[in-house]
């Protein structure tokens, strides 16, 4: 075997031959429906490689979905030295993160499981509501902060949300654009969840990087933003904050300098050659043809288009924070 699929297949083949019983493969990947994706990936491989193993695995292997939430900034060279000074360890690849953690797992284990609930893991029959809550409040709000925060001249998340205008803009987004389209999981208060998340963003000990939030946006937007945007379009909702973010994303990709004149690096590797042409176009409407927007018909919303074109004009002449002040004051 040369891949993870091959090694897992070899192990399961031995397990099948030894009549060792069922087993669970738990995906901890940070993507929606990770267990379903894992199951499809492995079973597709087994089907091509070993029909007998494929049939056995369908009955004897489970692939629970899981959801994990913990902010983990990129570890920069200065962080390595700082952490070394704090704990005296010569660790060349440390990882640091916030105190907060939420881990939710579908309770589908074929041969028993550890009692992880004793240390805070939540088990459930359906992870999807937790996934939707995290995508809507955490991931998409990170995206709403990313380009505007960077263009405003901030480089750290905690510094950006300490600006009351940005904090209010993010909270209005969660309250008005996300909350109406979600159903809370059991024993969950959306108000508490949102308040805790705002406190997490402002954690100065974590001090996450806005550049990390901006990174690979073309891959993130379809996953993080499209569910909320699709629900809003279907409901005919007010689209001003979505229009503003789209205009900010366009400016972020085109300009390379924030409102203070400080340069930044654009790191969005999923953009295609055609995307680059649309970004360079002086017609803002062409930008809506980017591949990451293919799942939503933004151009069909007259309200969105009107706001978006206005923000494309105003954001360059008046600056990001002036537009945010207008947004939160409407």
């Amino acid at each position: 075997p040369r891949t993870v699929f091959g090694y897992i297949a070899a192990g399961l083949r031995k397990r099948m031959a030894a009549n060792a019983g069922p087993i669970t493969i738990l995906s901890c990947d940070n993507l929606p429906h990770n267990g379903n994706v894992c199951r499809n990936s492995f079973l597709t491989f087994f089907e091509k490689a070993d029909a007998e193993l494929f049939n056995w695995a369908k009955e004897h292997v489970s692939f629970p979905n899981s959801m994990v939430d913990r902010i983990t900034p990129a570890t920069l060279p200065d962080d390595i030295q700082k952490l070394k000074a704090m704990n005296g360890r010569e660790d060349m690849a440390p990882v640091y993160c916030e105190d907060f953690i939420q881990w939710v797992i579908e309770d589908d284990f074929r041969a028993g499981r550890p009692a992880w609930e004793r240390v805070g893991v939540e088990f459930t029959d359906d992870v999807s509501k937790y996934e939707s809550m995290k995508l809507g409040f955490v991931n998409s709000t990170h995206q709403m902060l990313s380009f505007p925060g960077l263009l405003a001249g901030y480089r750290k998340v905690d510094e950006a949300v300490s600006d009351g205008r940005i904090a209010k803009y993010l909270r209005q987004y969660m309250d008005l654009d996300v909350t109406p389209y979600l159903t809370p999981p059991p024993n969950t208060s959306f108000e508490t969840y949102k308040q805790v998340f705002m406190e997490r963003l402002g954690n100065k000990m974590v001090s996450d990087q806005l550049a990390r939030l901006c990174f690979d946006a073309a891959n993130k937007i379809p996953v993080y933003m499209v569910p909320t945007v699709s629900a809003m379009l279907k409901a005919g909702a007010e689209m001003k904050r979505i229009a503003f973010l789209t205009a900010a994303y366009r400016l972020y990709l085109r300009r390379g300098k924030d409102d203070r004149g400080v340069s930044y690096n654009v790191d969005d590797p999923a953009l295609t050659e055609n995307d680059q042409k649309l970004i360079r176009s002086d017609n803002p409407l062409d930008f809506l043809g980017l591949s990451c927007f293919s799942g939503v018909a933004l151009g069909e919303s007259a309200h969105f288009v009107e706001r978006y074109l206005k923000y494309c004009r105003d954001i360059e002449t008046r600056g990001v924070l002036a537009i945010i002040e207008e947004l939160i004051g409407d």
Side-chain angles (χ1 to χ4, degrees):
R2 293 190 300 273
T3 68
V4 63
F5 299 100
Y7 279 107
I8 294 294
L12 291 179
R13 195 176 291 115
K14 289 188 174 185
R15 189 176 188 88
M16 177 178 65
N19 291 318
I23 193 171
T24 291
I25 295 177
L26 175 63
S27 170
C28 301
D29 288 310
N30 189 19
L31 77 165
H33 317 302
N34 54 11
N36 295 344
V37 174
C38 184
R39 183 180 191 276
N40 182 64
S41 300
F42 277 105
L43 290 185
T44 300
F45 180 87
F46 298 160
E47 186 176 21
K48 300 294 184 182
D50 187 331
E52 183 182 8
L53 176 62
F54 170 69
N55 290 322
W56 181 86
K58 286 194 297 182
E59 300 298 325
H60 293 84
V61 184
S62 65
F63 300 85
N65 289 301
S66 70
M67 187 281 290
V68 65
D69 183 11
R70 195 174 207 182
I71 295 173
T72 308
T75 304
L76 304 177
D78 287 348
D79 297 320
I80 295 176
Q81 297 305 315
K82 179 179 70 175
L83 293 170
K84 178 183 175 182
M86 288 172 64
N87 63 25
R89 294 184 179 273
E90 188 72 31
D91 188 343
M92 299 308 296
V95 176
Y96 72 101
C97 56
E98 62 178 337
D99 290 336
F100 176 92
I101 187 169
Q102 184 180 29
W103 195 13
V104 183
I105 303 175
E106 182 183 2
D107 202 352
D108 180 19
F109 289 74
R110 294 294 171 88
R113 60 168 174 78
W116 288 331
E117 64 271 22
R118 295 180 183 175
V119 290
V121 175
E122 299 174 65
F123 286 97
T124 180
D125 293 333
D126 183 7
V127 177
S128 60
K129 287 183 180 178
Y130 294 90
E131 290 179 332
S132 297
M133 180 174 67
K134 185 205 171 191
L135 285 172
F137 289 133
V138 176
N139 298 119
S140 75
T141 303
H142 269 146
Q143 211 66 64
M144 291 296 290
L145 169 62
S146 58
F147 318 120
L150 193 79
L151 288 170
Y154 295 110
R155 293 299 181 267
K156 295 286 191 174
V157 169
D158 58 301
E159 295 171 350
V161 297
S162 69
D163 186 322
R165 296 165 292 184
I166 292 178
K168 187 174 182 180
Y169 150 76
L170 295 178
R171 187 60 199 247
Q172 286 183 345
Y173 167 70
M174 288 192 285
D175 290 343
L176 303 176
D177 299 341
V178 179
T179 301
Y181 309 104
L182 295 178
T183 302
N187 304 313
T188 300
S189 163
F190 275 169
E191 288 306 305
T192 301
Y193 189 89
K194 289 183 284 190
Q195 181 58 39
V196 169
F197 179 57
M198 291 301 297
E199 293 170 1
R200 293 167 62 196
L201 290 176
N203 188 333
K204 295 185 180 301
M205 292 301 293
V206 175
S207 198
D208 199 1
Q209 305 98 354
L210 284 167
R212 185 183 75 86
L213 304 189
C214 295
F215 169 71
D216 202 23
N219 269 328
K220 292 176 179 176
I221 286 172
V223 179
Y224 297 167
M225 298 299 303
V226 165
T228 294
V229 174
S230 296
M232 294 178 69
L233 287 170
K234 185 177 180 180
E238 224 290 340
M239 299 288 290
K240 64 181 182 180
R241 280 167 291 273
I242 302 299
F244 167 68
L245 179 71
T246 308
Y249 183 33
R250 179 175 183 265
L251 183 61
Y252 161 80
L253 292 173
R254 286 169 59 90
R255 194 166 70 177
K257 289 185 178 180
D258 63 26
D259 288 347
R260 301 175 185 178
V262 180
S263 298
Y264 56 81
N265 293 322
V266 174
D267 198 356
D268 209 341
L271 292 170
T272 67
E273 185 176 335
N274 186 60
D275 287 337
Q276 297 291 355
K277 293 179 181 178
L278 299 175
I279 292 165
R280 292 192 296 268
S281 171
D282 290 332
N283 183 353
L285 292 177
D286 289 342
F287 187 76
L288 302 182
L290 255 61
S291 55
C292 61
F293 299 135
S294 62
V296 288
L298 291 172
E300 294 181 9
S301 168
H303 169 74
F304 170 86
V305 170
E306 178 185 0
R307 286 280 191 162
Y308 166 68
L309 291 175
K310 176 183 183 301
Y311 293 142
C312 284
R313 293 190 301 269
D314 292 354
I315 203 170
E316 292 202 58
T317 57
R318 297 170 55 201
V320 165
L321 290 175
I323 306 303
I324 289 178
E325 288 175 1
E326 178 182 297
L327 282 168
I328 62 178
D330 282 354

